[in-house]
Amino acid sequence: MNIGYCLTGSFCTFEKSMEALEALVKAGHNVTPIMSENAYSTDTRFGRAVDIQNKIIQITGNSIIHTIEQAEPVGPKKMFDVLAIVPCTGNTLAKLANGITDTAVTMATKSHLRNNRPVVIGISTNDALGAAAKNIGALLNYKNYYFVPYAMDNYVLKPKSMVCDFTQVGKAIELAEKGEEIIKKIY
């Protein structure tokens, strides 16, 4: 598959996201990285931006799309079979749920969706059970959006926080390409 793999500013999950990215490449997929401008350019306690960029380029062998102008052709050129946003912050969830297109990631998503192709969301937000809940609910009901399974990551210290299961990213992408979602039965 040709996969667009987006990263937004949940910097603390970049390491796990890059492990999922690496697994996709090892499985034989052609993966093009896309980063929001903040994710692309911000140095944090989790790493320098340039080091993260270099690691992503090394893993994928592809340049990073990181501007709105670079992301706009995603749809017209039908560049990807699936677009994944892993990690997807509460900020990006809100933008997607409300049709706001002001980053490379939201532009790539809007452009990709024009072809009725799947978008996989791997949430990572401290307010999933707060302000972001309504946006998660909206996207769960929108056509062509699929979710990586997610759960609370620390119910004691961060009672509204949720994060996706990064080990399920590849499976979520493969199923979304077929129009299916991961369903886990809990009994």
Side-chain angles (χ1 to χ4, degrees):
M1 267 190 283
N2 289 315
I3 299 169
Y5 193 91
C6 306
L7 293 95
T8 64
S10 178
F11 301 101
C12 62
T13 62
F14 276 16
E15 187 175 324
K16 287 183 180 181
S17 182
M18 285 192 268
E19 289 172 6
L21 174 63
E22 194 165 17
L24 291 169
V25 172
K26 285 182 179 177
H29 301 294
N30 177 38
V31 183
T32 300
I34 303 166
M35 297 179 80
S36 67
E37 288 79 347
N38 286 331
Y40 182 81
S41 64
T42 304
D43 293 333
T44 71
R45 65 187 172 106
F46 299 103
R48 293 182 330 140
V50 69
D51 295 334
I52 293 166
Q53 294 166 19
N54 289 335
K55 185 171 182 181
I56 291 169
I57 292 167
Q58 178 188 3
I59 291 169
T60 64
N62 290 313
S63 298
I64 300 169
I65 294 172
H66 61 93
T67 68
I68 291 172
E69 294 80 11
Q70 293 170 326
E72 188 278 330
V74 164
K77 291 185 177 181
K78 297 183 179 180
M79 292 173 62
F80 308 121
D81 301 306
V82 177
L83 187 82
I85 308 170
V86 184
C88 185
T89 61
N91 186 48
T92 299
L93 288 166
K95 291 176 181 188
L96 295 172
N98 291 287
I100 298 169
T101 307
D102 65 351
T103 70
V105 170
T106 55
M107 174 55 82
T109 304
K110 174 186 173 185
S111 190
H112 178 77
L113 284 168
R114 73 185 246 168
N115 298 313
N116 284 316
R117 292 190 175 174
V119 174
V120 173
I121 304 287
I123 66 170
S124 178
T125 178
N126 287 328
D127 68 346
L129 296 175
K134 65 183 175 186
N135 299 315
I136 294 169
L139 292 173
L140 284 168
N141 285 297
Y142 289 174
K143 184 178 179 184
N144 296 316
Y145 280 96
Y146 301 85
F147 281 75
V148 178
Y150 54 92
M152 297 178 81
D153 57 317
N154 187 333
Y155 66 90
V156 174
L157 298 177
K158 301 187 301 180
K160 295 182 179 183
S161 181
M162 298 186 98
V163 67
C164 73
D165 180 351
F166 289 92
T167 66
Q168 297 294 310
V169 170
K171 184 175 181 182
I173 289 171
E174 289 174 14
L175 288 172
E177 197 267 334
K178 299 175 188 174
E180 301 173 17
E181 186 140 31
I182 294 177
I183 299 172
K184 289 193 173 189
K185 294 180 181 178
I186 301 173
Y187 345 176

